[in-house]
Amino acid sequence: MIYLLQYLDKNGIKYASVYGLQKATHLKGQQFAWLSTIFYLRYLVAQFPAGYAIQRLPIGKVLACTTLAWAVIVITTPACTSFAGMASNRFLLGFVEGIVNPGFVMVMSVWYKAAEQPLRLEAYYCTNGIATMFGGLIGYTVGNITSGLPQWMYVFLIFGACSCAAGVVALIFLPDMPSTAKFLNARERSIAVERVAGNRQGVKNSHFKVYQMWQTLCEDLDAVRHGGGSTSTQLGSNQLKGFGFDTLGTQYFQIPGGAVQFLSLLGGGFICSKFPNVRCITMIIVNLICILGASLLVGLPDSMKWGCLVALWLCYFQGLGFSISLTIVSSNVSGSTKKHLTSAILFTGYCIGNCIGPQTFRDFEAPRYPSAYIAMLVGYSVKLTAVIVLYVYMWTLERERDREAAVEGETSEEIERAAIDRGMHDVTELDNKGFRYVL
């Protein structure tokens, strides 16, 4: 629920944009695009402080307080009457929401085994698709309100109120760690900790270790290994309007795109949990689908609006590729400090893509935005290359470790036992020779 709401809240301006947001707040030219860029600039700046806070503070309380903070910011959005006000609002929203993604990666890594993580991650990440469908329905409903406040204000009031309620629930019920979960007895807490010990990563450690920081920053290809992040496509109402659909059509035609995202995330999570070492292969296939969609958006003429619509829906597969990259971090990076910093680096790339993305939708190119679709195509191609390099890198290192173990005559049981012990002592995957990557 928290993940669904943060997606709705940060994308509220897209739903409100067709109901007079720009006119009411006196936005001109590229100022609307800059609102998205400002959000992700602050999101970017928040990544390293967020990683430090998540490591040092109770994770459940951090996420709950973050939810309450952004709820207040969203509810106050209708008070903005200028670009300066909207920019300040988005700036603050980006800072508090910047904690959510790395926080959820941490929650997943301390509660679930590596084999369980893809499906669990997709179970919460697929709420992006639900949010797209739900947001479209809310947008359609708001479009039928003919009295009271201006229509665009209702979007933020509804989303903010839901987030406020979710924050209160999280503050009461969301646990910080398996070892402190109130809904488990002492024996069940012990079992919960022992379950994740097999990941050879240990559990959360609140001490910041400088050597792990340097290892993260200096490790070869680290930016490539975990940089298959996100090139923002800014898919939403304005693009559908550019295809020639009316105002209400821009809302309900987002629902199939949300369904594509939802089903692809759940299906991909099931495949990656059911079959071992198919995560990188799945990411490659997903990126090829997105390349197809972006190619069609670039090449189809304006008259084929239904073809453009289907091409846009294909691009909603992008969420699966990015979410699997999160499981690559949670399953393949060991050492608490290193995991937080690697997650921060991943989301730094995510933020940079989302900062650049809105600027490719240039106002003078409306309504078709050809430069934006070319940028999408280039971005997906770069991501595909990064994933292939990542796969080859991890596969090569895996084979080297298997050969070394065979030469030393160690059995698989001995390797696993030693790896678990070293993982519980907060050792990184590079220093733990018994660690094995999930491909």
Side-chain angles (χ1 to χ4, degrees), residues 37 86 100 137 242 283 288 335 420:
T37 297
M86 286 295 297
V100 177
L137 290 173
M283 292 172 69
L288 288 173
I420 291 174

Side-chain angles (χ1 to χ4, degrees), residues 257-425:
V260 169
Q261 190 175 28
F262 173 75
L263 294 173
S264 66
L265 287 165
L266 273 188
F270 175 79
I271 290 171
C272 292
S273 294
K274 185 73 173 178
F275 304 100
N277 295 325
V278 295
R279 298 186 195 183
C280 288
I281 299 298
T282 303
M283 292 172 69
I284 290 171
I285 294 172
V286 166
N287 274 294
L288 288 173
I289 294 173
C290 291
I291 287 173
L292 173 61
S295 299
L296 291 172
L297 287 172
V298 171
L300 289 177
D302 294 349
S303 59
M304 298 185 64
K305 69 175 185 179
W306 292 105
C308 292
L309 181 61
V310 172
L312 195 68
W313 289 342
L314 289 177
C315 292
Y316 277 94
F317 276 91
Q318 66 171 336
L320 177 58
F322 177 66
S323 61
I324 293 177
S325 73
L326 299 182
T327 70
I328 295 292
V329 173
S330 64
S331 299
N332 289 333
V333 179
S334 184
S336 189
T337 298
K338 185 174 182 180
K339 185 184 291 289
H340 290 305
L341 289 175
T342 302
S343 180
I345 291 172
L346 171 63
F347 284 107
T348 296
Y350 169 83
C351 292
I352 291 173
N354 279 287
C355 287
I356 296 172
Q359 302 307 313
T360 64
F361 288 89
R362 295 183 289 182
D363 190 60
F364 65 85
E365 291 186 337
R368 280 290 284 145
Y369 306 107
S371 296
Y373 299 132
I374 292 173
M376 287 167 55
L377 179 59
V378 172
Y380 292 136
S381 301
V382 171
K383 288 170 63 177
L384 177 62
T385 303
V387 173
I388 293 173
V389 173
L390 161 64
Y391 180 77
V392 172
Y393 174 86
M394 292 194 298
W395 183 86
T396 301
L397 193 56
E398 191 93 336
R399 299 288 80 78
E400 289 178 359
R401 289 187 172 181
D402 288 342
R403 285 194 295 269
E404 290 174 1
V407 170
E408 294 174 4
E410 295 179 296
T411 65
S412 58
E413 291 79 9
E414 292 173 336
I415 294 173
E416 182 173 4
R417 188 163 50 249
I420 291 174
D421 181 66
R422 291 179 65 80
M424 295 301 290
H425 286 84

Side-chain angles (χ1 to χ4, degrees), residues 162-192:
C162 292
S163 294
C164 188
V168 172
V169 173
L171 192 62
I172 297 172
F173 296 107
L174 185 62
D176 298 313
M177 293 285 291
S179 57
T180 60
K182 294 180 180 179
F183 58 84
L184 301 177
N185 58 39
R187 179 175 174 275
E188 289 169 337
R189 291 171 190 164
S190 178
I191 293 173

Side-chain angles (χ1 to χ4, degrees), residues 37-53 91-92 94-99 102 344-345 347-352 355:
T37 297
I38 288 170
F39 174 89
Y40 283 105
L41 282 173
R42 195 64 182 103
Y43 198 107
L44 168 62
V45 174
Q47 289 311 297
F48 290 95
Y52 186 78
F91 183 84
L92 293 173
F95 178 77
V96 293
E97 288 203 12
I99 300 175
I345 291 172
F347 284 107
T348 296
Y350 169 83
C351 292
I352 291 173
C355 287

Side-chain angles (χ1 to χ4, degrees), residues 3-4 6-7 124-133 258 261 265:
Y3 207 83
L4 181 151
Q6 67 90 27
Y7 187 86
Y124 78 73
Y125 206 83
C126 75
T127 58
N128 287 354
I130 298 175
T132 301
M133 293 185 284
Q261 190 175 28
L265 287 165

Side-chain angles (χ1 to χ4, degrees), residues 89-139:
N89 181 275
R90 297 290 291 178
F91 183 84
L92 293 173
L93 186 64
F95 178 77
V96 293
E97 288 203 12
I99 300 175
V100 177
N101 263 311
F104 270 74
V105 171
M106 181 64 192
V107 169
M108 183 177 62
S109 66
V110 300
W111 277 94
Y112 299 107
K113 296 189 291 186
E116 299 169 342
Q117 289 176 9
L119 185 57
R120 268 60 178 189
L121 184 138
E122 305 303 351
Y124 78 73
Y125 206 83
C126 75
T127 58
N128 287 354
I130 298 175
T132 301
M133 293 185 284
F134 181 72
L137 290 173
I138 291 293

